[in-house]
Amino acid sequence: MFGSLPSSAHQWVRGVKQTAGGSTGSVFKAFDLGLRLLTQAVLTRSHPAVRHCDLVVANTTRAAAYAAIALQQSSKPLVVHLRDQVTIESLGVFGFRLMTKLVLPRADGIIANSHSTLATASPYIRRDALARVIPSPAGLRTLRRVEHVQSTLRVGMLARVDPWKGQMLLLEAFAQAFPGGTERLEIAGGSPFFHDDFAVELQTRARVLGIGDRVSFLGYVDDVVSLLSRWDVAVQSSLRPEPLGQNVLQYLAAGTATIVADEGGPAEWVHHDVNGLRVHPRDVAALATALRELAADPAKRRRLGAAAQRTAGLLDDHSIAQAHAQAYGDVLRQAGGAGRIAMSVVSPIVAAA
């Protein structure tokens, strides 16, 4: 997908669908992915929006791969958005090699969603490349807490259903913290990357733990504002370091008492016992202890929630767009460009099945 953005936005769709799940899979899947990337790179290079622009922006990891291939032997500046940590665990072996051997050495500008993400990329970035940390947009302008009164404590997680996102760990911790009682757990998020079986596994495990009647699986939720307004505690418990944790920014902006794993992007935003709690990653007992602590202390939940909304650096989408525009201009000026910017944004169209 290409968007040429001078004074008004235009969008063109051209190329092949990119299959989901590129970071995992067989050798055959890696070959298929590579073939799709090469095809898209050829189409990208030949597209008028790319040939006549001053700057190319790759908006995703997949787009960065075919944009870097397309711009080989070209002096056109390339800006890459990093929303995944540059590790084999996050990108897979094939993706990691593409990113470290091809994409990052070619990039003239890097916009990382956290300092943690940027640190994983730093060894592979050119010395003369511009590097900025700007959080990804998360709709924070619309998330403002509405006070509510309820007798039942509600714990929630907002994240796509995926084994590494930590829903299973949260189930175990919730069952350990509240083996009986009226406390409820709500798990919100769809399963876009072929994890329907895991969603079923979560429901089965909740029943085995004896908490099935107190756990709700909400699926994809469009009205995040209403969702967060009814949660007393919101949790991020991913099993590997989150690059940013957009859900954490949403929790904070909504004024919800927040618990996060003490690593990656979320640890840059949550200061322990100031605007949330940080717990040892992948530790069921530690998470259960934090849940019990907040459940027993409504005043602490209110204090942490109020401080959460005052967290420095929470930007609305317009402010993030302005920061991006500043970075694009700086890359262009560094490359010797001047005047009005004609920019092409490349993003993959990912096939859901």
Side-chain angles (χ1 to χ4, degrees):
M1 184 182 299
F2 310 99
S4 177
L5 300 171
S7 58
S8 61
H10 303 280
Q11 186 179 92
W12 295 271
V13 177
R14 183 179 183 184
V16 295
K17 286 186 177 181
Q18 302 293 324
T19 56
S23 62
T24 59
S26 63
V27 174
F28 174 78
K29 190 166 187 177
F31 177 80
D32 178 68
L33 172 60
L35 185 61
R36 288 172 183 272
L37 289 176
L38 286 173
T39 303
Q40 189 65 55
V42 172
L43 295 169
T44 297
R45 187 180 182 95
S46 63
H47 197 283
V50 173
R51 286 191 289 109
H52 300 302
C53 73
D54 300 301
L55 178 73
V56 175
V57 178
N59 201 37
T60 69
T61 299
R62 190 77 60 93
Y66 62 71
I69 297 170
L71 295 179
Q72 291 298 306
Q73 308 305 316
S74 167
S75 61
K76 202 176 295 292
L78 170 65
V79 174
V80 171
H81 283 264
L82 285 181
R83 296 190 176 90
D84 295 299
Q85 296 210 335
V86 182
T87 63
I88 292 176
E89 187 178 27
S90 293
L91 301 177
V93 173
F94 180 66
F96 179 77
R97 287 177 178 169
L98 272 177
M99 184 62 69
T100 58
K101 302 296 185 183
L102 178 68
V103 175
L104 293 177
R106 175 59 182 82
D108 301 280
I110 302 292
I111 297 178
N113 58 8
S114 70
H115 293 281
S116 174
T117 296
L118 183 60
T120 65
S122 292
Y124 314 102
I125 297 174
R126 296 199 328 253
R127 289 181 178 271
D128 62 338
L130 177 144
R132 296 275 170 83
V133 173
I134 304 171
S136 300
L140 301 190
R141 179 174 51 189
T142 62
L143 296 179
R144 290 295 178 263
R145 190 160 187 80
V146 177
E147 290 301 322
H148 62 285
V149 177
Q150 58 187 20
S151 58
T152 300
L153 182 90
R154 292 183 183 271
V155 178
M157 175 186 283
L158 174 64
R160 74 172 187 265
V161 174
D162 191 308
W164 80 268
K165 287 293 186 178
Q167 286 94 349
M168 187 67 77
L169 186 146
L170 176 56
L171 277 180
E172 301 284 347
F174 183 86
Q176 189 176 118
F178 314 114
T182 61
E183 296 86 0
R184 295 197 59 85
L185 173 62
E186 295 186 346
I187 294 179
S191 50
F193 297 132
F194 312 116
H195 290 303
D196 291 338
D197 288 347
F198 181 61
V200 174
E201 185 182 342
L202 289 171
Q203 296 174 38
T204 301
R205 185 57 181 164
R207 290 193 294 270
V208 170
L209 290 169
I211 57 173
D213 60 336
R214 293 189 289 131
V215 180
S216 298
F217 295 92
L218 307 179
Y220 176 80
V221 174
D222 186 58
D223 188 356
V224 174
V225 177
S226 297
L227 178 73
L228 297 184
S229 73
R230 69 172 184 254
W231 287 357
D232 300 287
V233 180
V235 178
Q236 175 269 323
S237 57
S238 300
L239 303 186
R240 66 178 190 236
E242 278 283 355
L244 171 64
Q246 285 175 272
N247 56 348
V248 173
L249 303 190
Q250 291 171 323
Y251 297 164
L252 296 174
T256 309
T258 300
I259 302 173
V260 303
D262 191 9
E263 63 181 359
E268 297 175 22
W269 290 93
V270 174
H271 305 282
H272 186 69
D273 205 28
V274 176
N275 64 341
L277 298 181
R278 301 196 326 207
V279 298
H280 193 268
R282 297 167 290 282
D283 190 329
V284 171
L287 180 54
T289 297
L291 288 171
R292 283 193 296 266
E293 178 182 340
L294 291 182
D297 195 341
K300 185 168 190 171
R301 295 200 304 269
R302 289 192 293 271
R303 173 175 64 80
L304 294 177
Q309 287 194 305
R310 299 193 298 270
T311 300
L314 290 175
L315 302 177
D316 61 30
D317 292 356
H318 177 70
S319 298
I320 291 173
Q322 288 183 314
H324 286 167
Q326 179 65 49
Y328 300 155
D330 289 345
V331 169
L332 192 63
R333 283 185 285 273
Q334 187 169 295
R340 188 178 182 184
I341 301 174
M343 178 176 69
S344 286
V345 179
V346 293
S347 298
I349 300 174
V350 179

